[in-house]
Structures are given as C-alpha cells and as structure tokens.
Amino acid sequence: MQIIKSVTEMQNISQKLNGKIGFVPTMGFLHEGHLSLVKEAHKKCDFVIVSIFVNPSQFLPNEDLDSYPRNFEQDVKLLSDIDFIFFPQNEDIYPNDYKTWITVEKISAEFCGKSRPTHFKGVATIVCKLLNIVNADFLFLGEKDFQQLVVLKQMTKDLNFKTEVIGCPIVREKSGLALSSRNKYLSEIERKNALSLFEALQLAKINFKNGIVDSQKNISQMQRLIEEKGGVVDYIEIIDSQNLEKISKLKERCRVLIAVFIDKTRLIDNIEI
Amino acid sequence: MQIIKSVTEMQNISQKLNGKIGFVPTMGFLHEGHLSLVKEAHKKCDFVIVSIFVNPSQFLPNEDLDSYPRNFEQDVKLLSDIDFIFFPQNEDIYPNDYKTWITVEKISAEFCGKSRPTHFKGVATIVCKLLNIVNADFLFLGEKDFQQLVVLKQMTKDLNFKTEVIGCPIVREKSGLALSSRNKYLSEIERKNALSLFEALQLAKINFKNGIVDSQKNISQMQRLIEEKGGVVDYIEIIDSQNLEKISKLKERCRVLIAVFIDKTRLIDNIEI
C-alpha cells in the first residue's frame, strides 16, 4: 500500500494502472462501514484506491469542519490491504483561484439539503474531482448517506462518467446504531438516546407489515418515539427510492429517511421497507 | 471515418482507443476556423474526434437556437480525414430527468456572460460531458471565443480532467472578418459593416504602438469607429489575458475583446496586443 499526497502523482499513477479501479472516497476516521466498501471494492476491482480528505466545501460555515474527527495513523493501519491511499492537501484540491462548482438540481435541495443548503454542491464537486484524479471505474458509497448516493448516481450519469456507482448496505452496531464517524461526538447517554433513530425506522417497518401504511401517521409515530428519547427531529421523510419523491403511503422497497439532532450532533439514518 | 450517434457507443469506442485522443467540439456548419483545430489535433494526437451538436443549454430562450445554421452533409465531407464524428441526439445528451450543471464562477459572469447569463453554464456542462464521452487527452478550442477558452481551461483544471486544453489562433477572411458560423446571417451590406470589428481591434493595436495606452480612450475610439459603420456595441473590454481582469492601460500581450450587434446578428472578436 502506498500513500499518495500529490494530485498530479495520483493522477499519473491512476492513468497507467492496467485493470479496473475501485474507489472509496472518505473523510477518514474510518469504521467498519468504510471497510465494508473497501471489501466490496476488492471483490469487483483489480486496484483499490481510498481517499482521505475532510472536504471543506461540503460543510456549512456553522458546522463541524474544525472538530470533525481525524485519526490518519489508525486509518492507514486499517487500509493496509489496499493499493493506494490518496491523502491530498486542501490547497492542492482548492487552490486560491478555484472557481468551478457542480449542482445537481432538485434532489440536492430536499431533505438534508434543506438544513444544509450548499452541502451537496460540495459533495458533487469533490467527487467529480476525485473521480478524475483516481480514474475510477467503480465508485463505492454507503447507503447510510442515501441522498448523497442518489445525488452522486445522478451526477455521474448526467456528466457521462464511465464510473459505475455501487451502493452498499448500512453497517450497524449490535444495538442498531448506524456506524458514523460523528458517533464519536456522542456521550454515553446520548449514544443510548441515539438508538431512537433505528427504533423509529424499525417501527415503520413493523407498521408496514401490520398494514399501517399512511405516511403521515408513520411519521407522527416515529417523531413521538424519537422525541420521547430526547432527540430533535430535523426531518422524517418517506420516499420512492428511485426518484426521491415523497409518497403518501408506505410501499414495498420505499425508503424512510431521518435526520435527528441528539443534542448538538446531527445523525442520519434510513431503511428500506 | 465513422459517424457515431450513440453516447454509449462513442464512450465504449473511446475507452478502448490505444493512443492520444484529440477532441474538437463543434456546433457544426464548419468553416476553416474549425478545420484549423482539426489540423492541430492531427499534429498532436493519434485519434481525432469531432463532435457536432447544437447545444441547446448554451442558448438563451430569446436566442437563435432554432435558426442556428446546420449542414451535416457538408460537415461530413469536410471531416473525411478524421477518425470519428460524434453526432448525438439531444434526448441522449439531456434526457428528461437531467439535473446536473457546472458553473465556473466570476469569469462566466463577465463580458458575454452579462448579456448571456446562463451561456457559459451550458458551455461548461456540455464540454464536461463530451470530454467524458470521448475520453479526450487534448481539447482544441479557437481563440475567437476567448472567454469560452478561459472558462473551459479553468473548468478542466478545477475539475482535474486529464485533458490538456489547446487554444488555436483566430482564422479570418482576407477582409479581416473572423470566421464564424453566424456570419451566414449577414446580408452583403452587413458583411461590410461587420469589418468594423477587426478595424476597431487593429486601431487599438496601432494606438498601442503610438503610445496611446489609456483603456478608456481606446474603448471610446473603437466604439465610435464601430458605430459609424452601423454596429451597436454590446461591450468592448481591455483585459489581462491570464485572469480576465480589466486593466486601465494597454500592455504587451493584453487582450481586447469586443461584442457587436450588426443588425440582429451578435458577433464577437478579439485581438492580442
């Protein structure tokens, strides 16, 4: 495994690799969720490249860019079986005269986009750049950031990237809590309260089995459950998995998306019905 | 030479070409200006691909999308010595659910961007798509659309395309008129009046040699010359070639940009001092 810091060097290497390149973009502080993506990449590809870059353009000014957890040494250990870690510097990715931004209209403005209005512009732009730098044939993304997955599938399709996007299932703790680097922010009590996200999603699944399909009714019940455990709901939405449109009744293979503040920590989760 | 209409087929072919790919994007109705780009591409590259696509997203609603001149049969004859003509259909390039747009900030809003506010968004987006479809190593662009050249250099650099952008000199008629597909709109009298663009640019060059370097003075003189020949100035700007910033005095290697309406036809031209 090689650690590459230079954009030019990474691009020169990736252009010459003879085989399928699998790419996993991360912001570091890796957990089993990231590693499940790496595992999928190994299965499908000849070369695996993981980027570690805390992308400033996807954080809003009031968000946790500075405190976002980092542990490069541990990340390197966890990635010993891949081919390249791409670990660029901010000034190399966004030089002073940087001017180009990618917008995926409509689907970027919904859900997380409402409370994080420029977030997906930052995400789409950095991923476009990284795809070009690492010359990716396959892009592996977790389903936890479901809207991000849909935005990036749309972006790569619309801009005719050769890259195929592979969505991988959410990895959870035994408790049900979805793995996230931001779980590190949680105190012991908050960690318990945060279980309400998964419990609420399970509730929707059980409701569906019992014929309670009205979206608004489900949303109200989920909200009550989360609030009882001290969470503050940012949104709960029941949507068609394909086009992200809100639906009034639960149906097979629809998605329930939630974003909840546990004190100051904003967590997201989702489930397929 | 092969004509490829399908996006998927073009992308499959370009991914497998073994050698440097030179790409010339055009809206068809080719003239010697386009052919000079093809010639440059032949010199530098193993394969030459020319796209012919009248890109609707770079036209404003009130512009000449429908009347834009087309002559595919003649274009094909002129391109007999290249490898591939990429001639896609609009619904393949912008399917119904299309959502992704590229903005190059600041430099897109100046000059032509003032009277054509969404123009460069359309240009940047289509060229990004085409670069991915044809897998371009080199992109050949004419200097007549000088702002477009600067915007696309910025876009490819910012988004880390492997593609190198090559700007090629303006090709002119003997009269001095810069070649443009839109010259077809001009009546015989308008064609004569349109010579005022080149004459005005020459005036700035002569002024510089004679030590008349004040930008505003030059602009006023050029404007007067153009108006005397019946043109209506959209803008005349004197700028630094590198960063497109307006400068108050002419200097070596600066650029003078002009856009002029000759009756309903909007023509652009520029010169390096």
Side-chain angles (χ1 to χ4, degrees):
Chain A
M1 186 267 292
Q2 260 184 279
I3 298 166
I4 312 288
K5 292 185 179 180
S6 146
V7 169
T8 314
E9 192 186 350
M10 186 73 257
Q11 192 154 33
N12 286 341
I13 290 173
S14 71
Q15 284 297 325
K16 282 172 199 149
L17 292 178
N18 193 8
K20 290 294 176 194
I21 301 174
F23 174 53
V24 181
T26 84
M27 301 212 298
F29 207 72
L30 304 180
H31 52 62
E32 287 296 326
H34 300 109
L35 299 181
S36 73
L37 304 179
V38 172
K39 205 170 163 184
E40 276 306 301
H42 275 303
K43 280 189 207 160
K44 265 190 119 68
C45 303
D46 304 300
F47 300 95
V48 177
I49 305 179
V50 175
S51 66
I52 298 180
F53 179 62
V54 182
N55 174 37
S57 73
Q58 72 190 69
F59 290 80
L60 273 73
N62 60 336
E63 289 184 343
D64 59 342
L65 172 61
D66 293 335
S67 60
Y68 195 86
R70 291 158 166 91
N71 191 340
F72 186 66
E73 274 184 36
Q74 188 182 299
D75 292 345
V76 170
K77 280 181 199 156
L78 292 170
L79 295 173
S80 58
D81 64 336
I82 69 164
D83 299 283
F84 301 97
I85 296 177
F86 179 48
F87 183 58
Q89 301 302 296
N90 194 36
E91 52 273 28
D92 228 13
I93 293 290
Y94 299 115
N96 276 334
D97 67 340
Y98 191 86
K99 292 186 180 69
T100 306
W101 299 100
I102 296 179
T103 315
V104 181
E105 289 179 347
K106 288 180 190 154
I107 50 178
S108 293
E110 296 281 346
F111 318 129
C112 287
K114 277 189 187 156
S115 48
R116 311 185 74 189
T118 56
H119 172 67
F120 289 112
K121 182 172 113 171
V123 169
T125 302
I126 187 65
V127 171
C128 172
K129 286 168 64 68
L130 291 170
L131 291 180
N132 278 337
I133 295 168
V134 307
N135 191 21
D137 295 296
F138 293 91
L139 169 63
F140 296 86
L141 298 169
E143 287 184 348
K144 186 174 79 69
D145 301 78
F146 189 76
Q147 189 178 2
Q148 170 175 281
L149 173 63
V150 175
V151 166
L152 292 175
K153 273 187 179 168
Q154 183 81 37
M155 186 270 281
T156 52
K157 174 172 162 276
D158 281 352
L159 296 184
N160 303 99
F161 275 92
K162 65 172 177 178
T163 318
E164 187 181 334
V165 181
I166 313 279
C168 300
I170 297 174
V171 179
R172 300 181 181 280
E173 294 184 356
K174 270 189 191 157
S175 66
L177 182 66
L179 296 192
S180 163
S181 304
R182 287 192 171 97
N183 291 349
K184 187 180 154 57
Y185 297 145
L186 301 171
S187 70
E188 205 175 327
I189 291 172
E190 287 168 358
R191 223 177 161 79
K192 270 188 194 148
N193 292 342
L195 299 182
S196 66
L197 278 83
F198 186 58
E199 284 163 19
L201 294 171
Q202 289 297 102
L203 175 62
K205 213 160 176 170
I206 292 161
N207 275 349
F208 180 69
K209 275 187 195 150
N210 294 333
I212 304 166
V213 296
D214 182 74
S215 293
Q216 207 43 60
K217 192 166 187 176
N218 272 280
I219 291 171
S220 301
Q221 288 185 16
M222 292 169 73
Q223 174 146 5
R224 211 174 311 130
L225 187 156
I226 289 165
E227 286 172 354
E228 275 167 9
K229 301 236 171 154
V232 175
V233 171
D234 182 17
Y235 68 78
I236 303 175
E237 301 283 6
I238 296 170
I239 59 162
D240 182 296
S241 300
Q242 296 309 305
N243 59 20
L244 289 195
E245 272 173 29
K246 296 175 193 180
I247 53 179
S248 61
K249 284 181 196 281
L250 291 174
K251 61 178 183 183
E252 289 279 353
R253 302 183 67 79
C254 75
R255 283 259 163 188
V256 185
L257 309 183
I258 56 179
V260 173
F261 282 95
I262 304 294
D263 196 31
K264 282 174 191 147
T265 305
R266 187 175 176 280
L267 300 175
I268 58 174
D269 202 348
N270 68 83
I271 205 163
E272 188 180 70
I273 297 295
Chain B
M1 186 269 290
Q2 260 183 279
I3 298 167
I4 312 289
K5 292 186 179 181
S6 146
V7 169
T8 314
E9 191 186 352
M10 186 73 256
Q11 191 154 34
N12 287 342
I13 290 174
S14 71
Q15 285 297 325
K16 282 173 199 148
L17 291 179
N18 193 11
K20 290 294 176 193
I21 300 174
F23 174 52
V24 181
T26 83
M27 301 211 297
F29 207 72
L30 305 180
H31 50 63
E32 285 297 325
H34 300 108
L35 299 180
S36 74
L37 305 177
V38 171
K39 205 170 162 183
E40 275 307 299
H42 274 302
K43 280 188 206 162
K44 265 189 120 66
C45 304
D46 304 301
F47 299 95
V48 177
I49 305 180
V50 175
S51 65
I52 297 179
F53 179 62
V54 181
N55 174 37
S57 73
Q58 71 190 69
F59 289 80
L60 273 74
N62 60 336
E63 289 184 344
D64 57 343
L65 172 61
D66 292 334
S67 60
Y68 195 85
R70 290 158 166 91
N71 190 341
F72 185 66
E73 274 185 36
Q74 186 182 300
D75 292 345
V76 169
K77 280 183 200 157
L78 292 171
L79 296 172
S80 58
D81 64 336
I82 70 164
D83 298 285
F84 301 97
I85 295 176
F86 179 48
F87 183 58
Q89 300 303 295
N90 194 36
E91 52 273 28
D92 227 15
I93 293 290
Y94 299 115
N96 276 335
D97 67 340
Y98 191 86
K99 292 188 179 67
T100 306
W101 298 99
I102 296 179
T103 315
V104 181
E105 289 180 347
K106 285 177 192 156
I107 49 176
S108 293
E110 295 282 346
F111 318 130
C112 286
K114 277 188 186 156
S115 48
R116 310 184 75 189
T118 57
H119 173 66
F120 289 111
K121 182 171 114 173
V123 169
T125 302
I126 187 66
V127 171
C128 172
K129 287 168 64 66
L130 291 170
L131 291 180
N132 278 337
I133 295 168
V134 307
N135 190 22
D137 295 295
F138 293 91
L139 169 63
F140 295 87
L141 297 169
E143 286 185 347
K144 185 175 79 72
D145 301 77
F146 189 75
Q147 188 177 4
Q148 170 175 283
L149 173 62
V150 175
V151 166
L152 292 175
K153 273 187 179 170
Q154 183 81 37
M155 186 271 279
T156 52
K157 174 173 162 277
D158 282 351
L159 296 183
N160 302 103
F161 274 92
K162 64 172 177 178
T163 318
E164 186 181 332
V165 180
I166 313 279
C168 301
I170 298 174
V171 179
R172 299 182 181 280
E173 294 185 355
K174 271 190 192 154
S175 65
L177 182 67
L179 295 192
S180 163
S181 304
R182 286 192 172 98
N183 290 349
K184 187 180 153 56
Y185 297 146
L186 302 171
S187 69
E188 204 174 329
I189 291 173
E190 287 167 358
R191 225 179 160 81
K192 270 188 192 147
N193 293 341
L195 299 183
S196 67
L197 279 83
F198 186 58
E199 285 164 16
L201 294 171
Q202 289 297 102
L203 174 63
K205 215 163 175 169
I206 292 162
N207 276 349
F208 179 70
K209 275 188 194 151
N210 294 334
I212 305 166
V213 295
D214 181 74
S215 292
Q216 207 44 62
K217 192 166 187 177
N218 272 278
I219 291 171
S220 300
Q221 287 185 16
M222 292 168 73
Q223 175 146 7
R224 211 173 315 131
L225 188 156
I226 289 165
E227 286 172 354
E228 277 168 9
K229 300 237 172 153
V232 175
V233 171
D234 183 17
Y235 67 79
I236 303 175
E237 302 282 5
I238 296 171
I239 59 161
D240 183 295
S241 300
Q242 296 309 307
N243 59 21
L244 289 194
E245 273 173 28
K246 294 174 194 179
I247 54 179
S248 61
K249 282 180 201 283
L250 291 175
K251 62 179 183 185
E252 290 278 352
R253 300 183 67 80
C254 75
R255 281 259 164 189
V256 184
L257 309 182
I258 56 179
V260 173
F261 283 95
I262 303 294
D263 195 32
K264 283 174 192 150
T265 305
R266 186 176 176 280
L267 299 176
I268 58 175
D269 201 347
N270 68 84
I271 206 163
E272 189 180 69
I273 297 294

